[in-house]
Amino acid sequence: MVLAATRFPGGWSFADLLAHLGGIPAERVRLHPVPGRATEQDVLDLQSREDRLYELVDGVLVEKPMGYSESYWAGRLIRFLGTYVEDHDLGIVTAPDGTVRLGAGLVRIPDVAYFAWERLPGEALPEEPIPDLAPDLAVEVLSEGNTAREMERKLREYFFAGTRLVWLVDPRRRIIDVYTAPDQCVRLEEGQILDGGDVVPGFHLALKDLFGRVRRGSAAAKKKPTLRKKGKTG
């Protein structure tokens, strides 16, 4: 599916574009194709020939910051969540390169995603490379290049598309923010239990088991995106 180009206001500067995308670093925006003219095919072409992932936001290719550490934490969560989902025949769990279309001109790549069988047409694995499908649960592992405004935007996009639960994982601070709506969040810290609520019924994971014995690195002291707290915290 090729989507039409996006028209930005004529008076916009590059700084305006970055602000529109959530105040992200300039180096994460790909300038070819010209911002506003990129398509889903560009996402697929880059995915096939480069070792970087790009999301499509309003016709703009935005690099998804994903490194060794983020891949490791996503992999651990996939192991715990995927095993539970498979053992209970609940649906499927996808990895950090699973692209999904959340809306017209909007392609996101959650680090981990869970889709209940009931959400999948015919309870079958989609064959198209970018399915028009919002996950029941979306997980984002925070990276150095993420900004708070970017993650707030992603939260709105996920829930507007039909996602029911979002986990924002910050392994450097060993916390997980659990969102049931863009403005409803419970913060879990090491020593507490993460559960799947009504979305992944019966799933429980102690954060100490997720984060394990891996030591905090020097990056732990670096400032990370902090979303404005809404709703209750735990």
Side-chain angles (χ1 to χ4, degrees):
M1 179 179 181
V2 177
L3 300 172
T6 299
R7 292 184 179 275
F8 294 111
W12 269 24
S13 66
F14 189 56
D16 293 324
L17 176 63
L18 295 178
H20 174 70
L21 297 172
I24 64 174
E27 59 268 20
R28 288 182 52 201
V29 175
R30 195 176 182 100
L31 298 181
H32 180 75
V34 174
R37 296 183 178 273
T39 66
E40 291 182 1
Q41 189 59 51
D42 294 313
V43 172
L44 297 174
D45 290 345
L46 288 170
Q47 211 173 45
S48 68
R49 68 172 184 261
E50 295 192 8
D51 59 355
R52 292 180 290 178
L53 296 175
Y54 287 88
E55 297 178 313
L56 181 67
V57 186
D58 295 336
V60 182
L61 291 174
V62 179
E63 183 177 1
K64 182 176 174 64
M66 190 74 180
Y68 185 88
S69 174
E70 291 80 13
S71 176
Y72 170 79
W73 294 113
R76 281 187 65 80
L77 192 50
I78 288 170
R79 180 166 65 86
F80 287 112
L81 180 63
T83 298
Y84 181 86
V85 167
E86 184 169 342
D87 286 348
H88 293 79
D89 193 25
L90 298 177
I92 63 172
V93 173
T94 57
D97 54 356
T99 53
V100 290
R101 182 186 306 115
L102 298 183
L106 181 61
V107 174
R108 289 298 189 185
I109 313 175
D111 293 313
V112 183
Y114 159 69
F115 303 83
W117 287 126
E118 294 76 13
R119 186 172 290 255
L120 300 171
E123 297 192 356
L125 188 69
E127 295 184 358
E128 58 267 48
I130 305 179
D132 191 6
L133 194 65
D136 290 276
L137 162 65
V139 183
E140 296 279 347
V141 179
L142 296 181
S143 303
E144 291 293 332
N146 290 132
T147 68
R149 281 194 292 139
E150 176 189 20
M151 302 316 294
E152 288 171 351
R153 173 175 179 148
K154 282 193 175 187
L155 284 167
R156 293 193 300 270
E157 292 169 350
Y158 279 127
F159 284 106
F160 184 79
T163 296
R164 297 190 290 153
L165 183 64
V166 177
W167 297 340
L168 297 188
V169 181
D170 187 344
R172 293 170 179 82
R173 292 193 292 163
R174 302 197 175 211
I175 62 174
I176 297 180
D177 286 335
V178 177
Y179 285 84
T180 52
D183 59 352
Q184 295 296 321
C185 172
V186 173
R187 171 162 291 178
L188 301 179
E189 300 180 351
E190 197 168 11
Q192 294 183 283
I193 305 293
L194 174 69
D195 71 74
D198 295 333
V199 180
V200 193
F203 175 77
H204 295 86
L205 174 61
L207 265 62
K208 65 180 180 60
D209 292 334
L210 172 63
F211 296 127
R213 63 185 298 272
V214 177
R215 297 178 180 175
R216 287 184 173 90
S218 58
K222 296 182 179 179
K223 185 177 180 180
K224 294 299 300 171
T226 301
L227 302 190
R228 292 186 291 272
K229 298 303 294 176
K230 302 172 183 177
K232 70 174 185 176
T233 58

